[in-house]
Amino acid sequence: MKVVITGGGGFLGLKLAQALLARGALGSTASTQAKLSKLVLLDAAFPDTMPKDPRLEAVVGDVSDGATLERVLTPDTASVFHLAAVVSGAAEADYDLGDRVNLEGTRRLLERARRCVTPPRVVFASSVAAFGGELPPVLDDSTTPTPQTSYGTQKVIGEYLIADMSRKDFIDGRSLRLPTIVVRPGKPNAAASSFASGIIREPLNGVVSECPVAEDTGVWLLSPKRVIECFLHAHDLPATAWGSTRVVNLPGITVSVADMLEGMRRVAGDAVVRRVKFVPDARIQAIVKTWPSRLKTPRAVNMGFQADPDIETVIRDYIADEKIAVAR
């Protein structure tokens, strides 16, 4: 089978690619598994160090470009993981860019997917930024999305397009509303949630990190390890497990900035925590405060998706997975 990952040069895209290559097949049972024969990654750029595998092809291009999509999504494509996006802070700052990539790119990708010989499975990385405005203290699966950012709006429109095309049997889609993913390695990005990784990643590396929000700011989060498991699990579930509702709020844990720092203190010590400096940023605060931090996700749990046990486990897994030499 041929699989495509948009945003394949990004952190999560590469982790997903490595997991797929290691797995060698997709499907939940022996009778439904199909062997991976081709894995195509599409992104605007790729790191110098890429996995070496004859099944892997990296294509540099724009997900909103029709010619690029025609090259990547050939009629024999069986599955698509659509991760490519202009992240929250950048989409808010540059409406036209977010509209072109997050909205028009998704629409064009789905239109191209319609032309596949067999309706492909499409796993879409949506976001809890779908929610906003006047929210209850704890959201659940019945909460109506009312996004308060351009990014969240673009994601919700993508969800509806995927649901409608699935209803029409053009594709077999499933949308995952991702919590904030912590801890992301590398450099900070333009996401409004970037601080949630930065206040852990930078201090562990001996670098001062500026936190733009208050200590009591809550975050609904999931680790990279768990989200990759969720992508694969979402793909492997049969269409009957989704029914007419093609979107799910992924499970996560609610953690305040203070909780994150206390978890890091227990894992790495006081000196590491002292490298976090609070520097308020009204723009980031305005975006983050619209996002939910407490959700009940019985649908996801019943479907077999799993959250992390606690923030300390998330931090310890990051140190182990990225082979971090903690600067104490």
Side-chain angles (χ1 to χ4, degrees), residues 163-320:
D164 192 44
M165 287 197 177
S166 297
R167 180 184 63 84
K168 300 287 285 184
D169 291 325
F170 296 151
I171 64 170
D172 179 3
R174 38 293 301 272
S175 299
L176 312 183
R177 289 182 184 143
L178 272 58
T180 296
I181 305 303
V182 176
V183 180
R184 291 175 177 266
K187 297 179 179 179
N189 63 18
S193 60
S194 183
F195 73 89
S197 287
I199 62 174
I200 296 173
R201 179 186 60 236
E202 313 303 353
L204 289 174
N205 287 322
V207 178
V208 170
S209 176
E210 295 184 351
C211 182
V213 300
E215 276 192 302
D216 61 354
T217 300
V219 179
W220 182 246
L221 64 81
L222 190 67
S223 71
K225 176 182 177 180
R226 289 294 191 194
V227 78
I228 297 303
E229 292 173 357
C230 289
F231 286 140
L232 296 174
H233 182 66
H235 177 280
D236 289 348
L237 283 171
T240 53
W242 295 86
S244 61
T245 304
R246 291 294 178 134
V247 62
V248 67
N249 300 319
L250 287 186
I253 55 174
T254 300
V255 183
S256 69
V257 169
D259 294 333
M260 296 168 75
L261 297 183
E262 182 55 34
M264 190 160 61
R265 188 189 316 278
R266 291 193 290 267
V267 171
D270 291 339
V272 173
V273 174
R274 285 196 291 269
R275 297 184 185 120
V276 176
K277 309 298 181 186
F278 286 87
V279 181
D281 184 318
R283 183 183 70 87
I284 297 297
Q285 291 171 349
I287 295 174
V288 173
K289 75 178 183 180
T290 69
W291 295 345
S293 60
R294 295 185 181 276
L295 288 85
K296 289 182 179 179
T297 57
R299 173 172 158 82
V301 172
N302 290 337
M303 292 172 73
F305 294 98
Q306 295 183 9
D308 300 280
D310 51 58
I311 188 60
E312 286 184 53
T313 301
V314 171
I315 295 170
R316 292 185 192 279
D317 284 348
Y318 166 70
I319 292 171

Side-chain angles (χ1 to χ4, degrees), residues 77-154:
T77 301
S79 299
V80 180
F81 292 88
H82 183 31
L83 277 56
V86 172
V87 292
S88 53
E92 194 67 14
D94 190 336
Y95 178 85
D96 292 330
L97 176 62
D99 180 74
R100 177 173 64 79
V101 175
N102 297 345
L103 187 53
E104 189 62 18
T106 296
R107 189 189 67 78
R108 289 188 175 184
L109 179 140
L110 295 175
E111 285 293 336
R112 183 65 192 171
R114 284 181 62 185
R115 302 179 196 175
C116 293
V117 173
T118 301
R121 288 196 177 181
V122 178
V123 179
F124 176 49
S126 187
S127 169
V128 291
F131 299 107
E134 297 295 326
L135 294 173
V138 180
L139 279 66
D140 60 28
D141 294 327
S142 67
T143 305
T144 302
T146 52
Q148 300 299 300
T149 62
S150 296
Y151 174 74
T153 301
Q154 291 149 7

